[in-house]
PDB file of all heavy atoms in Angstrom:
ATOM      1  N   ILE N1544     -19.405   5.369   7.218  1.00  0.00           N
ATOM      2  CA  ILE N1544     -19.706   4.071   7.855  1.00  0.00           C
ATOM      3  C   ILE N1544     -18.372   3.369   8.309  1.00  0.00           C
ATOM      4  O   ILE N1544     -18.293   2.879   9.415  1.00  0.00           O
ATOM      5  CB  ILE N1544     -20.475   3.151   6.895  1.00  0.00           C
ATOM      6  CG1 ILE N1544     -21.835   3.820   6.622  1.00  0.00           C
ATOM      7  CG2 ILE N1544     -20.679   1.766   7.507  1.00  0.00           C
ATOM      8  CD1 ILE N1544     -22.571   3.208   5.460  1.00  0.00           C
ATOM      9  N   ILE N1545     -17.376   3.367   7.466  1.00  0.00           N
ATOM     10  CA  ILE N1545     -16.196   2.526   7.793  1.00  0.00           C
ATOM     11  C   ILE N1545     -15.082   3.258   8.521  1.00  0.00           C
ATOM     12  O   ILE N1545     -14.266   2.646   9.207  1.00  0.00           O
ATOM     13  CB  ILE N1545     -15.614   1.805   6.525  1.00  0.00           C
ATOM     14  CG1 ILE N1545     -14.969   2.837   5.543  1.00  0.00           C
ATOM     15  CG2 ILE N1545     -16.688   1.007   5.790  1.00  0.00           C
ATOM     16  CD1 ILE N1545     -14.136   2.164   4.492  1.00  0.00           C
ATOM     17  N   CYS N1546     -15.014   4.592   8.421  1.00  0.00           N
ATOM     18  CA  CYS N1546     -13.922   5.339   9.056  1.00  0.00           C
ATOM     19  C   CYS N1546     -14.326   6.793   9.298  1.00  0.00           C
ATOM     20  O   CYS N1546     -13.699   7.723   8.795  1.00  0.00           O
ATOM     21  CB  CYS N1546     -12.621   5.251   8.217  1.00  0.00           C
ATOM     22  SG  CYS N1546     -12.801   5.835   6.534  1.00  0.00           S
ATOM     23  N   ASP N1547     -15.376   6.922  10.105  1.00  0.00           N
ATOM     24  CA  ASP N1547     -16.053   8.214  10.297  1.00  0.00           C
ATOM     25  C   ASP N1547     -15.123   9.300  10.771  1.00  0.00           C
ATOM     26  O   ASP N1547     -15.293  10.497  10.377  1.00  0.00           O
ATOM     27  CB  ASP N1547     -17.162   7.951  11.310  1.00  0.00           C
ATOM     28  CG  ASP N1547     -18.199   9.104  11.260  1.00  0.00           C
ATOM     29  OD1 ASP N1547     -18.129   9.872  10.298  1.00  0.00           O
ATOM     30  OD2 ASP N1547     -19.031   9.165  12.181  1.00  0.00           O
ATOM     31  N   HIS N1548     -14.113   9.001  11.613  1.00  0.00           N
ATOM     32  CA  HIS N1548     -13.321  10.081  12.203  1.00  0.00           C
ATOM     33  C   HIS N1548     -11.995  10.359  11.503  1.00  0.00           C
ATOM     34  O   HIS N1548     -11.202  11.113  11.976  1.00  0.00           O
ATOM     35  CB  HIS N1548     -13.090   9.779  13.704  1.00  0.00           C
ATOM     36  CG  HIS N1548     -14.356   9.669  14.440  1.00  0.00           C
ATOM     37  ND1 HIS N1548     -14.841   8.479  14.961  1.00  0.00           N
ATOM     38  CD2 HIS N1548     -15.290  10.586  14.728  1.00  0.00           C
ATOM     39  CE1 HIS N1548     -16.004   8.703  15.521  1.00  0.00           C
ATOM     40  NE2 HIS N1548     -16.315   9.988  15.415  1.00  0.00           N
ATOM     41  N   LYS N1549     -11.804   9.691  10.397  1.00  0.00           N
ATOM     42  CA  LYS N1549     -10.578   9.927   9.621  1.00  0.00           C
ATOM     43  C   LYS N1549     -10.687  11.188   8.784  1.00  0.00           C
ATOM     44  O   LYS N1549     -11.804  11.639   8.550  1.00  0.00           O
ATOM     45  CB  LYS N1549     -10.362   8.763   8.664  1.00  0.00           C
ATOM     46  CG  LYS N1549      -9.293   7.855   9.057  1.00  0.00           C
ATOM     47  CD  LYS N1549      -9.069   6.798   8.055  1.00  0.00           C
ATOM     48  CE  LYS N1549      -8.256   5.703   8.742  1.00  0.00           C
ATOM     49  NZ  LYS N1549      -8.235   4.459   7.999  1.00  0.00           N
ATOM     50  N   VAL N1550      -9.556  11.664   8.217  1.00  0.00           N
ATOM     51  CA  VAL N1550      -9.636  12.726   7.212  1.00  0.00           C
ATOM     52  C   VAL N1550     -10.601  12.342   6.110  1.00  0.00           C
ATOM     53  O   VAL N1550     -10.755  11.113   5.808  1.00  0.00           O
ATOM     54  CB  VAL N1550      -8.243  13.049   6.611  1.00  0.00           C
ATOM     55  CG1 VAL N1550      -7.329  13.643   7.656  1.00  0.00           C
ATOM     56  CG2 VAL N1550      -7.624  11.814   5.981  1.00  0.00           C
ATOM     57  N   SER N1551     -11.223  13.332   5.489  1.00  0.00           N
ATOM     58  CA  SER N1551     -12.138  12.992   4.375  1.00  0.00           C
ATOM     59  C   SER N1551     -11.339  12.576   3.154  1.00  0.00           C
ATOM     60  O   SER N1551     -10.090  12.756   3.103  1.00  0.00           O
ATOM     61  CB  SER N1551     -12.958  14.239   4.020  1.00  0.00           C
ATOM     62  OG  SER N1551     -12.106  15.207   3.440  1.00  0.00           O
ATOM     63  N   GLY N1552     -12.021  12.059   2.165  1.00  0.00           N
ATOM     64  CA  GLY N1552     -11.371  11.672   0.912  1.00  0.00           C
ATOM     65  C   GLY N1552     -10.677  12.875   0.264  1.00  0.00           C
ATOM     66  O   GLY N1552      -9.556  12.791  -0.210  1.00  0.00           O
ATOM     67  N   GLN N1553     -11.393  13.991   0.285  1.00  0.00           N
ATOM     68  CA  GLN N1553     -10.827  15.227  -0.294  1.00  0.00           C
ATOM     69  C   GLN N1553      -9.579  15.654   0.474  1.00  0.00           C
ATOM     70  O   GLN N1553      -8.591  16.063  -0.148  1.00  0.00           O
ATOM     71  CB  GLN N1553     -11.925  16.326  -0.244  1.00  0.00           C
ATOM     72  CG  GLN N1553     -11.913  17.272  -1.398  1.00  0.00           C
ATOM     73  CD  GLN N1553     -11.779  16.557  -2.761  1.00  0.00           C
ATOM     74  OE1 GLN N1553     -12.585  15.700  -3.093  1.00  0.00           O
ATOM     75  NE2 GLN N1553     -10.736  16.907  -3.488  1.00  0.00           N
ATOM     76  N   GLN N1554      -9.629  15.554   1.793  1.00  0.00           N
ATOM     77  CA  GLN N1554      -8.414  15.905   2.581  1.00  0.00           C
ATOM     78  C   GLN N1554      -7.244  14.956   2.270  1.00  0.00           C
ATOM     79  O   GLN N1554      -6.122  15.385   2.153  1.00  0.00           O
ATOM     80  CB  GLN N1554      -8.747  15.866   4.062  1.00  0.00           C
ATOM     81  CG  GLN N1554      -9.583  17.088   4.513  1.00  0.00           C
ATOM     82  CD  GLN N1554     -10.144  16.911   5.923  1.00  0.00           C
ATOM     83  OE1 GLN N1554     -10.499  15.788   6.356  1.00  0.00           O
ATOM     84  NE2 GLN N1554     -10.222  18.009   6.683  1.00  0.00           N
ATOM     85  N   TRP N1555      -7.569  13.680   2.153  1.00  0.00           N
ATOM     86  CA  TRP N1555      -6.503  12.702   1.827  1.00  0.00           C
ATOM     87  C   TRP N1555      -5.796  13.136   0.536  1.00  0.00           C
ATOM     88  O   TRP N1555      -4.591  13.184   0.421  1.00  0.00           O
ATOM     89  CB  TRP N1555      -7.076  11.309   1.657  1.00  0.00           C
ATOM     90  CG  TRP N1555      -6.056  10.197   1.602  1.00  0.00           C
ATOM     91  CD1 TRP N1555      -5.660   9.372   2.622  1.00  0.00           C
ATOM     92  CD2 TRP N1555      -5.303   9.796   0.449  1.00  0.00           C
ATOM     93  NE1 TRP N1555      -4.712   8.483   2.194  1.00  0.00           N
ATOM     94  CE2 TRP N1555      -4.447   8.729   0.832  1.00  0.00           C
ATOM     95  CE3 TRP N1555      -5.239  10.236  -0.868  1.00  0.00           C
ATOM     96  CZ2 TRP N1555      -3.579   8.084  -0.056  1.00  0.00           C
ATOM     97  CZ3 TRP N1555      -4.337   9.593  -1.743  1.00  0.00           C
ATOM     98  CH2 TRP N1555      -3.519   8.561  -1.343  1.00  0.00           C
ATOM     99  N   LEU N1556      -6.623  13.470  -0.484  1.00  0.00           N
ATOM    100  CA  LEU N1556      -6.079  13.874  -1.772  1.00  0.00           C
ATOM    101  C   LEU N1556      -5.289  15.161  -1.674  1.00  0.00           C
ATOM    102  O   LEU N1556      -4.237  15.313  -2.276  1.00  0.00           O
ATOM    103  CB  LEU N1556      -7.191  14.028  -2.795  1.00  0.00           C
ATOM    104  CG  LEU N1556      -7.859  12.687  -3.216  1.00  0.00           C
ATOM    105  CD1 LEU N1556      -9.227  12.914  -3.857  1.00  0.00           C
ATOM    106  CD2 LEU N1556      -6.944  11.929  -4.232  1.00  0.00           C
ATOM    107  N   ASN N1557      -5.773  16.113  -0.857  1.00  0.00           N
ATOM    108  CA  ASN N1557      -5.067  17.390  -0.711  1.00  0.00           C
ATOM    109  C   ASN N1557      -3.743  17.219  -0.005  1.00  0.00           C
ATOM    110  O   ASN N1557      -2.756  17.889  -0.333  1.00  0.00           O
ATOM    111  CB  ASN N1557      -5.931  18.394   0.082  1.00  0.00           C
ATOM    112  CG  ASN N1557      -6.989  18.995  -0.815  1.00  0.00           C
ATOM    113  OD1 ASN N1557      -6.837  19.034  -2.034  1.00  0.00           O
ATOM    114  ND2 ASN N1557      -8.085  19.404  -0.224  1.00  0.00           N
ATOM    115  N   ILE N1558      -3.680  16.308   0.982  1.00  0.00           N
ATOM    116  CA  ILE N1558      -2.425  16.055   1.678  1.00  0.00           C
ATOM    117  C   ILE N1558      -1.440  15.419   0.713  1.00  0.00           C
ATOM    118  O   ILE N1558      -0.269  15.760   0.623  1.00  0.00           O
ATOM    119  CB  ILE N1558      -2.667  15.211   2.943  1.00  0.00           C
ATOM    120  CG1 ILE N1558      -3.519  15.984   3.913  1.00  0.00           C
ATOM    121  CG2 ILE N1558      -1.307  14.845   3.621  1.00  0.00           C
ATOM    122  CD1 ILE N1558      -4.049  15.207   5.131  1.00  0.00           C
ATOM    123  N   ALA N1559      -1.920  14.446  -0.086  1.00  0.00           N
ATOM    124  CA  ALA N1559      -1.061  13.831  -1.106  1.00  0.00           C
ATOM    125  C   ALA N1559      -0.552  14.869  -2.084  1.00  0.00           C
ATOM    126  O   ALA N1559       0.638  14.881  -2.409  1.00  0.00           O
ATOM    127  CB  ALA N1559      -1.797  12.712  -1.818  1.00  0.00           C
ATOM    128  N   ARG N1560      -1.443  15.753  -2.504  1.00  0.00           N
ATOM    129  CA  ARG N1560      -1.040  16.817  -3.464  1.00  0.00           C
ATOM    130  C   ARG N1560       0.086  17.660  -2.859  1.00  0.00           C
ATOM    131  O   ARG N1560       1.105  17.929  -3.511  1.00  0.00           O
ATOM    132  CB  ARG N1560      -2.252  17.666  -3.792  1.00  0.00           C
ATOM    133  CG  ARG N1560      -1.897  18.865  -4.710  1.00  0.00           C
ATOM    134  CD  ARG N1560      -3.111  19.779  -5.000  1.00  0.00           C
ATOM    135  NE  ARG N1560      -4.043  19.120  -5.865  1.00  0.00           N
ATOM    136  CZ  ARG N1560      -5.248  18.649  -5.517  1.00  0.00           C
ATOM    137  NH1 ARG N1560      -5.685  18.791  -4.288  1.00  0.00           N
ATOM    138  NH2 ARG N1560      -6.064  18.076  -6.398  1.00  0.00           N
ATOM    139  N   THR N1561      -0.091  18.066  -1.611  1.00  0.00           N
ATOM    140  CA  THR N1561       0.897  18.939  -0.946  1.00  0.00           C
ATOM    141  C   THR N1561       2.220  18.166  -0.819  1.00  0.00           C
ATOM    142  O   THR N1561       3.288  18.740  -1.038  1.00  0.00           O
ATOM    143  CB  THR N1561       0.380  19.397   0.431  1.00  0.00           C
ATOM    144  OG1 THR N1561      -0.922  19.875   0.259  1.00  0.00           O
ATOM    145  CG2 THR N1561       1.259  20.462   1.014  1.00  0.00           C
ATOM    146  N   ALA N1562       2.167  16.889  -0.423  1.00  0.00           N
ATOM    147  CA  ALA N1562       3.386  16.127  -0.296  1.00  0.00           C
ATOM    148  C   ALA N1562       4.106  16.099  -1.659  1.00  0.00           C
ATOM    149  O   ALA N1562       5.335  16.364  -1.714  1.00  0.00           O
ATOM    150  CB  ALA N1562       3.032  14.649   0.120  1.00  0.00           C
ATOM    151  N   HIS N1563       3.367  15.816  -2.702  1.00  0.00           N
ATOM    152  CA  HIS N1563       4.029  15.770  -4.029  1.00  0.00           C
ATOM    153  C   HIS N1563       4.616  17.119  -4.393  1.00  0.00           C
ATOM    154  O   HIS N1563       5.688  17.188  -4.999  1.00  0.00           O
ATOM    155  CB  HIS N1563       3.011  15.318  -5.108  1.00  0.00           C
ATOM    156  CG  HIS N1563       2.433  13.948  -4.844  1.00  0.00           C
ATOM    157  ND1 HIS N1563       1.363  13.446  -5.565  1.00  0.00           N
ATOM    158  CD2 HIS N1563       2.742  12.997  -3.943  1.00  0.00           C
ATOM    159  CE1 HIS N1563       1.061  12.224  -5.117  1.00  0.00           C
ATOM    160  NE2 HIS N1563       1.868  11.935  -4.133  1.00  0.00           N
ATOM    161  N   GLN N1564       3.897  18.199  -4.025  1.00  0.00           N
ATOM    162  CA  GLN N1564       4.393  19.550  -4.399  1.00  0.00           C
ATOM    163  C   GLN N1564       5.755  19.870  -3.716  1.00  0.00           C
ATOM    164  O   GLN N1564       6.526  20.628  -4.278  1.00  0.00           O
ATOM    165  CB  GLN N1564       3.367  20.601  -3.997  1.00  0.00           C
ATOM    166  CG  GLN N1564       2.218  20.698  -4.975  1.00  0.00           C
ATOM    167  CD  GLN N1564       1.026  21.491  -4.436  1.00  0.00           C
ATOM    168  OE1 GLN N1564       0.976  21.848  -3.264  1.00  0.00           O
ATOM    169  NE2 GLN N1564       0.037  21.762  -5.316  1.00  0.00           N
ATOM    170  N   ILE N1565       5.942  19.316  -2.497  1.00  0.00           N
ATOM    171  CA  ILE N1565       7.247  19.603  -1.851  1.00  0.00           C
ATOM    172  C   ILE N1565       8.302  18.576  -2.176  1.00  0.00           C
ATOM    173  O   ILE N1565       9.371  18.513  -1.573  1.00  0.00           O
ATOM    174  CB  ILE N1565       7.071  19.805  -0.325  1.00  0.00           C
ATOM    175  CG1 ILE N1565       6.705  18.493   0.356  1.00  0.00           C
ATOM    176  CG2 ILE N1565       6.127  20.929   0.009  1.00  0.00           C
ATOM    177  CD1 ILE N1565       7.028  18.499   1.864  1.00  0.00           C
ATOM    178  N   GLY N1566       7.968  17.641  -3.086  1.00  0.00           N
ATOM    179  CA  GLY N1566       8.967  16.677  -3.539  1.00  0.00           C
ATOM    180  C   GLY N1566       8.952  15.346  -2.847  1.00  0.00           C
ATOM    181  O   GLY N1566       9.902  14.570  -3.007  1.00  0.00           O
TER     182      GLY N1566
END
Side-chain angles (χ1 to χ4, degrees):
I1544 298 167
I1545 69 167
C1546 57
D1547 198 12
H1548 300 110
K1549 252 183 197 166
V1550 292
S1551 69
Q1553 215 45 57
Q1554 286 168 324
W1555 191 99
L1556 290 161
N1557 282 335
I1558 296 169
R1560 176 182 289 107
T1561 312
H1563 300 170
Q1564 282 166 351
I1565 67 160

